[in-house]
C-alpha cells in the first residue's frame, strides 16, 4: 500500500538528573538534565514512527536543521522506499557538509521510517535486517558522565557495579579519576575510557604505560582531531593499547578509510549521528571484512538507542555490547521497558523499534 510522509514533528525533551550524584559534566560543561531530540513521523495511512537526532547540548541545532532543511525535502514523499529518500536528501544537502546537525536530523528521519517499515510489516527492525536468530537481550555497559573528582567517580562506579553492570565506560581524561574507577570496580569489571579526543599522539604515548596498567577493554577517541586515523593506527602499533573510534565518522566511505588505516580494535558507528539504520547496517559487513567488531555508539536513550539495539541484535557479532547511557535521570523515555538486568539490556520484540516512547514521559518532560 502506498504511503507518503504526512507530518514530521520535532519533540525536544529535557529530563533532569537526580540530585544524589552531583558534579556530572561533559567536556567541561556541567549537566543537570538529559536533553534529547525525538522526531515523530506520521504517514498518510496513519502509521507513526519515532526517530532521534544526536542532541546533548546541541538539540536546538538539530531541531532547526530538521525544520528548515530536512523535513521540507521529506514531506509528501514515499515513506516506503527509505534508501531512495535518504539518497535524495543527502544529494540535496551535501553542500552543507557530510556530518553534523543536518546529518543528525536526517538520521532521526531514517530511524523513524525504519520504525514505520517494521510496524507496517508487523515485525521488529532486527527481522527486517536479518532473518537469522535474534537474541532476546544483549550485553551492555554503563556509560557514565564525567565526574573528574576521584571520590565522585568512585561513587558512580560503585552505583553501577551494585546495579549489576559488568562493564563501565568513563568519560575521563585524568589519570587519578581512571585509577580510582579501576580500584573501586576491581579487576573483574571491564573498563572502557572515552578520552574525548584529549591528547596528541605524543601525549597519548606518554601516558600509555599508565593506561595499560588499567587493563582497559578499549580506549575511545584518545586523539585530537578525531579524524587522525593515521595517528590512531600509530598509537595502537607503538603502545599495544586497544583503541576505538567512529562516533564522529559521518559516512560509510569514511568508515572504510578508518578501517583501512588499521586505526581501531572496535568501530563505533552512531545511528543517531551517521544516517540511521540505512547507513549503520552497511558498517557491519564492512567491519567484518576487516576483522573489527562493531561496538555501536549510543550515548542517548531514545529511538537512536533502539536502532543500535535492533541492528546489533540482527547483525552484530559475539563481542558487540550496547552503550547504555547511565545519567541517573528522573525518568526514562521508555519507562521500564529497557531496564537492564545483570548487565544485559532487552531486545524489545514489538514491531519496528520494538517499543514506543512512554506518552506520560513525553508529556511531562517536553520542552
Ligand atoms: Mg565517545
Amino acid at each position: 500500500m502506498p504511503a507518503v510522509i504526512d507530518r514530521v514533528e520535532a519533540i525536544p525533551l529535557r529530563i533532569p538528573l537526580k540530585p544524589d550524584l552531583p558534579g556530572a559534566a561533559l567536556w567541561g560543561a556541567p549537566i543537570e538534565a538529559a536533553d534529547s531530540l525525538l522526531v515523530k513521523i506520521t504517514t498518510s495511512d496513519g502509521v507513526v514512527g519515532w526517530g532521534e537526532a544526536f542532541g546533548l547540548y546541541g538539540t536546538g541545532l538539530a531541531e532547526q536543521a530538521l525544520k528548515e532543511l530536512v523535513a521540507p525535502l521529506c514531506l509528501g514523499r514515499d515513506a516506503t522506499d527509505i534508501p531512495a529518500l535518504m539518497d535524495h536528501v543527502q544529494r540535496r544537502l551535501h553542500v552543507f557538509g557530510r556530518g553534523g546537525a543536518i546529518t543528525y536530523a536526517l538520521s532521526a528521519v531514517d530511524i523513524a521510517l525504519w520504525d514505520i517499515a517494521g510496524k507496517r510489516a508487523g515485525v521488529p527492525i532486527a527481522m527486517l535486517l536479518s532473518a537469522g536468530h535474534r537474541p532476546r537481550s544483549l550485553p551492555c555497559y554503563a556509560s557514565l558522565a564525567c565526574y573528574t573528582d576521584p571520590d565522585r567517580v568512585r561513587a558512580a562506579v560503585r552505583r553501577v557495579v551494585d546495579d549489576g553492570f559488568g562493564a563501565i565506560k568513563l568519560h575521563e581524561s585524568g589519570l587519578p579519576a581512571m585509577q580510582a574507577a579501576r580500584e573501586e570496580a576491581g579487576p573483574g569489571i571491564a573498563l572502557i575510557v572515552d578520552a574525548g579526543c584529549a591528547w596528541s599522539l605524543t601525549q597519548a604515548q606518554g601516558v600509555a604505560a599508565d593506561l595499560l596498567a588499567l587493563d582497559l577493554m578499549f580506549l575511545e577517541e584518545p586523539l585530537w582531531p578525531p579524524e587522525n586515523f593515521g595517528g590512531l593506527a600509530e598509537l595502537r602499533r607503538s603502545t599495544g593499547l586497544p583503541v576505538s573510534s567512529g562516533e564522529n565518522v559521518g559516512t560509510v566511505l569514511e568508515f572504510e578509510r578508518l578501517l583501512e588505516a588499521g586505526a581501531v580494535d572496535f568501530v563505533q558507528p552512531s545511528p543517531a549521528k551517521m544516517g540511521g539504520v540505512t547507513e549503520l547496517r552497511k558498517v557491519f559487513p564492512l567491519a567484518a571484512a576487516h576483522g573489527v567488531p562493531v561496538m555501536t555508539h549510543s550515548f542517548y536513550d531514545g529511538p537512536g538507542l533502539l536502532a543500535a539495539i535492533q541492528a546489533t541484535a540482527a547483525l552484530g557479532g559475539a563481542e558487540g555490547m550496547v552503550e547504555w547511557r547511565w545519567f541517573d535521570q528522573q525518568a526514562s523515555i521508555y519507562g521500564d521497558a529497557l531496564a537492564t538486568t545483570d548487565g544485559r539490556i532487552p531486545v524489545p520484540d514489538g514491531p519496528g523499534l520494538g517499543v514506543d516512547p512512554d506518552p506520560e514521559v513525553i508529556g511531562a518532560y517536553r520542552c
Side-chain angles (χ1 to χ4, degrees):
M1 192 166 63
V4 299
I5 297 173
D6 248 6
R7 193 149 185 245
V8 179
E9 189 184 354
I11 301 177
L13 298 181
R14 167 157 264 245
I15 304 179
L17 309 192
K18 292 178 190 162
D20 48 337
L21 267 180
L26 285 171
W27 299 285
I31 45 165
E32 285 157 8
D35 289 298
S36 309
L37 181 67
L38 305 197
V39 173
K40 181 182 176 186
I41 290 186
T42 311
T43 56
S44 53
D45 57 347
V47 184
V48 169
W50 291 90
E52 179 176 19
F54 181 71
L56 289 185
Y57 39 83
T59 50
L61 206 56
E63 184 177 356
Q64 198 179 352
L66 180 84
K67 287 178 172 167
E68 269 190 43
L69 294 170
V70 175
L73 291 170
C74 298
L75 287 168
R77 295 190 71 98
D78 183 0
T80 63
D81 191 347
I82 306 172
L85 179 61
M86 291 302 118
D87 186 68
H88 168 71
V89 178
Q90 286 193 30
R91 285 171 187 270
R92 286 289 297 274
L93 298 181
H94 79 274
V95 291
F96 300 109
R98 300 279 291 145
I102 291 173
T103 310
Y104 303 168
L106 184 59
S107 303
V109 170
D110 181 88
I111 292 166
L113 292 178
W114 275 88
D115 188 25
I116 288 170
K119 285 169 175 167
R120 287 167 70 90
V123 297
I125 289 170
M127 251 172 98
L128 298 178
L129 296 174
S130 161
H133 166 75
R134 275 179 298 121
R136 300 167 69 92
S137 68
L138 291 166
C140 66
Y141 64 86
S143 193
L144 305 180
C146 174
Y147 294 95
T148 310
D149 173 65
D151 288 338
R152 285 178 168 160
V153 173
R154 277 179 194 278
V157 166
R158 179 47 44 202
R159 288 280 295 278
V160 293
V161 170
D162 289 348
D163 276 358
F165 286 94
I168 302 170
K169 180 155 98 186
L170 311 173
H171 287 83
E172 308 283 348
S173 55
L175 282 168
M178 298 177 205
Q179 286 157 346
R182 173 49 88 199
E183 258 181 51
E184 187 68 30
I189 300 287
L191 197 60
I192 300 159
V193 167
D194 183 342
C197 308
W199 302 304
S200 68
L201 174 60
T202 313
Q203 287 168 331
Q205 286 167 327
V207 289
D210 289 318
L211 294 171
L212 283 165
L214 294 168
D215 188 25
L216 300 180
M217 184 180 183
F218 57 85
L219 175 65
E220 177 171 328
E221 289 203 313
L223 300 189
W224 179 260
E227 67 273 22
N228 182 3
F229 301 156
L232 293 175
E234 179 57 23
L235 181 64
R236 289 181 67 219
R237 196 199 58 73
S238 59
T239 65
L241 281 166
V243 168
S244 74
S245 183
E247 70 164 286
N248 286 305
V249 173
T251 69
V252 173
L253 263 179
E254 235 195 302
F255 275 104
E256 198 171 317
R257 289 192 197 108
L258 171 84
L259 292 160
E260 201 61 48
V264 289
D265 297 86
F266 297 94
V267 64
Q268 299 176 290
S270 185
K273 294 179 89 170
M274 50 78 74
V277 177
T278 300
E279 301 301 322
L280 173 60
R281 68 173 170 169
K282 298 173 189 169
V283 178
F284 284 87
L286 185 65
H290 288 270
V292 173
V294 173
M295 192 74 78
T296 49
H297 169 271
S298 55
F299 199 58
Y300 31 76
D301 44 24
L305 166 66
L306 283 177
I309 290 174
Q310 293 287 341
T312 301
L315 307 172
E319 298 98 330
M321 282 197 301
V322 172
E323 178 172 22
W324 169 254
R325 187 174 68 176
W326 193 90
F327 265 3
D328 201 25
Q329 57 208 47
Q330 289 179 7
S332 297
I333 292 171
Y334 296 106
D336 292 331
L338 296 181
T340 59
T341 315
D342 297 329
R344 295 188 73 88
I345 192 162
V347 180
D349 61 358
L353 288 168
V355 57
D356 277 349
D358 181 337
E360 280 185 24
V361 175
I362 301 275
Y365 297 101
R366 188 170 181 163
C367 54

